[in-house]
Amino acid sequence: MPTTHEVDAVVIGAGFSGLYSLYALRKEGFSTVVLEAGSGIGGTWYHNRYPGARCDIESLDYSYSFDEDLQQEWRWSEKFASQPEILAYIDHVAERFDLRKDVRLDTRVVSAVWDEDAAKWTVTTEAGDRYVGQFVVAATGVLNARQVPRFDGLDDFEGEWYHTADWPREGVEFAGKRVIVVGTGSSGTQIIPIVAAQADHLTVLQRTPNFTMPTGNAPYTEEMLAEWKADYAAKRRNARASNNGHNQIVNDKYGVDVSDEERAAEFEKRWNLGGHYMLRAFRDILVDEDVNNAAADWVRAKIASIVEDPETAAKLMPRMYLGTKRLCTGTNYYETYNRPNVDLIDVKANPIVRLVAEGIELADGTVVPADIIVFATGFDAMTGSLSRIDVRGRGGRELKEHWKGGPLTYVGLGVSGFPNFFVMSGPGSPSVTSNMVTSGELHVEWVRDALVYLREHGYAVIEATPEAEAAWVEHVADVASRTLYAKNTNSWFYGANTPGKAIVFQPYLGGVGPYGKRLQQIAAEGYPGFTLTRVRETVG
Ligand code: NAP
């Protein structure tokens, strides 16, 4: 029998933001439930268990800051933690703060409907259970609506196939198998070296080469941990004040001001540091074409120096501005193409036509044989998870409809016409261009403080105004337009990888520091840009 539950806040999603929402709201006395579609907590880190899955932000940064004892006591083993270690951390946090009792697993939300008269949301699950709450926190994640391209013949393929973001818990046996990996984004570049080392043969089907940096991983030594933990609070303050929400070594110089030699030395240093450090090489690397081209040329030369076969090396060289598709990281990624059991096929030149019983057929009639196909083909990013839920605000307006021309938010948190509905780490906020844990914490704390403010001042409803929303959306677009991202709209940042989606730059590039200040200012000034109303004003 379907059941109905009354709570103050319904949180959708038990990833980093959802779990912290539960912790923070519960602490302030709001009854809170978290509804999670997966069979375990962890969100992204629960589902993306493909071999090689690893964070590309340093573990000491990519972790909760809200509890000093937690951050002092947890010991990260590596600079860039693997998926199992991150999931173990999330499990630890859930146990430590007794979060699980208010998380409902295997509970997929199908709709969230605003009831004008009651001034409450009704959130309905696939099983028909209803959760009625004053507030909804949509912590649904931005990279989890996975996409398997609609290839003809998917059912004809007689082998096994998997998407990286829906990896079997028991793992996949590659030994002795012929494997195809489709896709060379962040997931592809992490899994490819591992499959290559295990499988009999690997064929990589690459449509667009992307820039892949070395991971730069290493075990943390006791000295490194002690140094960081000696004043963890300062590290956290620094992360929140920074552009990308973590303690990266940022070069304050502009690439236009320095010699070619100095640029090259900086690129070399950044390559050796690994991951996203390359994007902090110069302040203008994502703005100035010459500086960016210099970096891109430098990486292309690096690829040529690593990959022995010049034809393969040429295929691997990206022809776009560095970083305008999200930079990838991989351990021995380019070196993998020197292995005798690895082939690379350019499927832009020779596109995939269909799957057949034995493998994948290409436009020239070749069939690439496979026992296993891995789709590392990405997500309907930023809005995909929310658009799969039937969210209806005032007057039954659909969120999907409201966002048809691109996501509309005020400071990434509120949506006009959708009262008491908060979007966590989504479009219009630094989100995927930043450390998602830092940015998620900013959001959760802002929502917590807003709810306390409403309660203390006798308000029942908070809602972004259409004017504030429009101005913010314009600002988000304006900031993006002044960067090189605007010269490469073929990325999931713009929604370009999802058929039918509006081409709009989705995250906010203004920087975590200034963005956080803006959120603080809004709270301090009594929430300008939002309308606050008391119940009697909203009930007819
Ligand atoms: P992605 O970046 O969207 O990459 C998808 C890949 O699949 C691209 O190479 C794409 O080619 C290719 N592809 C898609 N459809 C195809 C088709 N029909 N035929 C051939 N190729 C096709 O997805 P992702 O690698 O899963 O990464 C998504 C995001 O998740 C990352 O950008 C990152 O933010 C996050 N992530 C982070 C980490 C990490 O922290 N290290 C790891 C994994 C994921 P095109 O480029 O031509 O579209």
Side-chain angles (χ1 to χ4, degrees):
M1 280 289 287
T3 53
T4 300
H5 311 262
E6 294 264 352
V7 286
D8 292 324
V10 181
V11 177
I12 311 175
F16 267 105
S17 295
L19 290 172
Y20 183 40
S21 300
L22 169 59
Y23 171 87
L25 297 183
R26 187 202 269 172
K27 202 164 178 202
E28 288 300 335
F30 297 101
S31 61
T32 306
V33 68
V34 181
L35 308 180
E36 167 57 53
S39 303
I41 59 171
T44 285
W45 297 106
Y46 178 79
H47 295 287
N48 285 270
R49 24 180 102 229
Y50 61 86
R54 180 180 294 287
C55 189
D56 55 10
I57 292 178
E58 276 202 47
S59 318
L60 285 160
D61 261 324
Y62 192 85
S63 48
Y64 289 121
S65 72
F66 66 80
D67 188 273
E68 178 63 14
D69 290 344
L70 167 67
Q71 64 188 12
Q72 288 295 337
E73 287 167 27
W74 182 263
R75 192 198 184 287
W76 291 105
S77 70
E78 295 179 290
K79 277 177 88 175
F80 298 98
S82 65
Q83 175 270 339
E85 187 168 6
I86 298 172
L87 198 57
Y89 170 76
I90 294 171
D91 277 334
H92 169 80
V93 172
E95 292 306 320
R96 187 174 182 121
F97 299 106
D98 196 18
L99 300 180
R100 284 180 195 279
K101 68 174 187 228
D102 291 319
V103 179
R104 307 286 168 267
L105 298 175
D106 294 309
T107 303
R108 181 171 292 283
V109 169
V110 291
S111 68
V113 179
W114 175 249
D115 177 339
E116 303 258 0
D117 293 334
K120 286 189 172 168
W121 286 92
T122 299
V123 178
T124 305
T125 72
E126 211 166 34
D129 295 326
R130 289 150 45 98
Y131 291 82
V132 178
Q134 191 180 352
F135 304 100
V136 167
V137 177
T140 42
V142 288
L143 290 161
N144 61 8
R146 51 186 168 267
Q147 300 198 117
V148 175
R150 291 177 201 134
F151 294 123
D152 285 343
L154 203 55
D155 294 337
D156 299 336
F157 177 57
E158 286 176 354
E160 306 156 35
W161 67 262
Y162 305 96
H163 189 285
T164 42
D166 188 17
W167 204 255
R169 299 195 70 169
E170 63 280 11
V172 176
E173 185 57 63
F174 291 112
K177 302 280 172 57
R178 296 161 307 167
V179 183
I180 295 176
V181 174
V182 183
T184 51
S186 296
S187 304
T189 52
Q190 286 189 328
I191 197 173
I192 283 167
I194 290 173
V195 175
Q198 293 175 9
D200 195 34
H201 191 270
L202 168 66
T203 308
V204 176
L205 302 189
Q206 170 192 268
R207 192 164 66 181
T208 312
N210 198 353
F211 291 97
T212 302
M213 302 296 117
T215 306
N217 196 23
Y220 275 129
T221 62
E222 292 309 322
E223 294 70 40
M224 285 156 108
L225 293 168
E227 192 200 327
W228 193 290
K229 290 181 179 184
D231 193 355
Y232 219 139
K235 293 284 189 193
R236 299 299 193 182
R237 276 196 303 278
N238 190 38
R240 287 193 180 203
S242 73
N243 219 40
N244 300 87
H246 44 125
N247 286 275
Q248 282 194 322
I249 304 160
V250 174
N251 184 0
D252 272 332
K253 289 186 181 172
Y254 288 83
V256 287
D257 294 337
V258 305
S259 66
D260 290 350
E261 291 70 30
E262 188 173 339
R263 280 185 189 175
E266 192 64 30
F267 297 145
E268 180 80 42
K269 175 176 155 193
R270 302 274 152 181
W271 174 271
N272 292 328
L273 282 167
H276 294 277
Y277 282 100
M278 185 61 86
L279 292 179
R280 322 286 172 245
F282 295 105
R283 290 179 72 92
D284 47 359
I285 195 166
L286 282 165
V287 178
D288 187 278
E289 292 188 47
D290 288 342
V291 176
N292 191 287
N293 282 332
D297 284 342
W298 189 92
V299 177
R300 282 189 281 265
K302 198 74 175 171
I303 296 169
S305 75
I306 296 171
V307 180
E308 287 155 12
D309 172 39
E311 232 177 87
T312 305
K315 276 192 222 162
L316 286 165
M317 288 180 194
R319 301 287 164 198
M320 61 176 125
Y321 292 111
L322 181 134
T324 56
K325 260 194 177 174
R326 193 179 180 282
L327 217 53
C328 301
T329 55
T331 303
N332 295 328
Y333 177 66
Y334 292 118
E335 289 81 351
T336 296
Y337 293 93
N338 293 333
R339 295 179 64 102
N341 68 331
V342 177
D343 289 325
L344 174 69
I345 296 180
D346 172 359
V347 291
K348 197 164 257 167
N350 188 13
I352 296 171
V353 174
R354 65 175 72 85
L355 270 71
V356 293
E358 322 79 70
I360 295 185
E361 184 180 326
L362 305 178
D364 69 355
T366 319
V367 171
V368 184
D371 305 304
I372 300 174
I373 299 175
V374 175
F375 292 108
T377 45
F379 306 87
D380 175 355
M382 309 290 297
T383 58
S385 45
L386 260 183
S387 67
R388 281 156 175 75
I389 299 174
D390 186 10
V391 180
R392 288 169 192 260
R394 281 193 197 284
R397 177 139 174 92
E398 284 181 68
L399 184 65
K400 232 182 324 196
E401 184 60 26
H402 189 59
W403 283 6
K404 205 168 63 183
L408 308 178
T409 70
Y410 174 44
V411 289
L413 277 159
V415 185
S416 73
F418 295 80
N420 291 359
F421 186 90
F422 305 102
V423 183
M424 296 289 99
S425 309
S429 78
S431 184
V432 288
T433 62
S434 71
N435 177 351
M436 289 291 278
V437 185
T438 308
S439 291
E441 283 193 332
L442 282 184
H443 274 185
V444 171
E445 288 161 16
W446 188 92
V447 169
R448 175 200 62 199
D449 294 348
L451 265 54
V452 169
Y453 183 92
L454 296 181
R455 184 172 63 193
E456 285 177 354
H457 293 79
Y459 293 113
V461 177
I462 179 168
E463 180 180 354
T465 68
E467 297 75 23
E469 182 182 83
W472 181 254
V473 169
E474 196 181 323
H475 173 60
V476 171
D478 178 52
V479 175
S481 76
R482 286 185 264 134
T483 69
L484 293 173
Y485 287 97
K487 302 208 169 196
N488 175 19
T489 59
N490 181 27
S491 72
W492 62 253
F493 287 135
Y494 278 90
N497 66 333
T498 302
K501 204 161 163 177
I503 303 296
V504 173
F505 192 80
Q506 303 179 90
Y508 175 54
L509 289 174
V512 171
Y515 175 78
K517 274 201 182 131
R518 176 84 187 246
L519 294 190
Q520 273 175 0
Q521 193 187 3
I522 291 171
E525 292 174 2
Y527 300 92
F530 289 92
T531 305
L532 310 188
T533 44
R534 297 171 204 286
V535 170
R536 63 177 179 279
E537 297 165 25
T538 61
V539 178

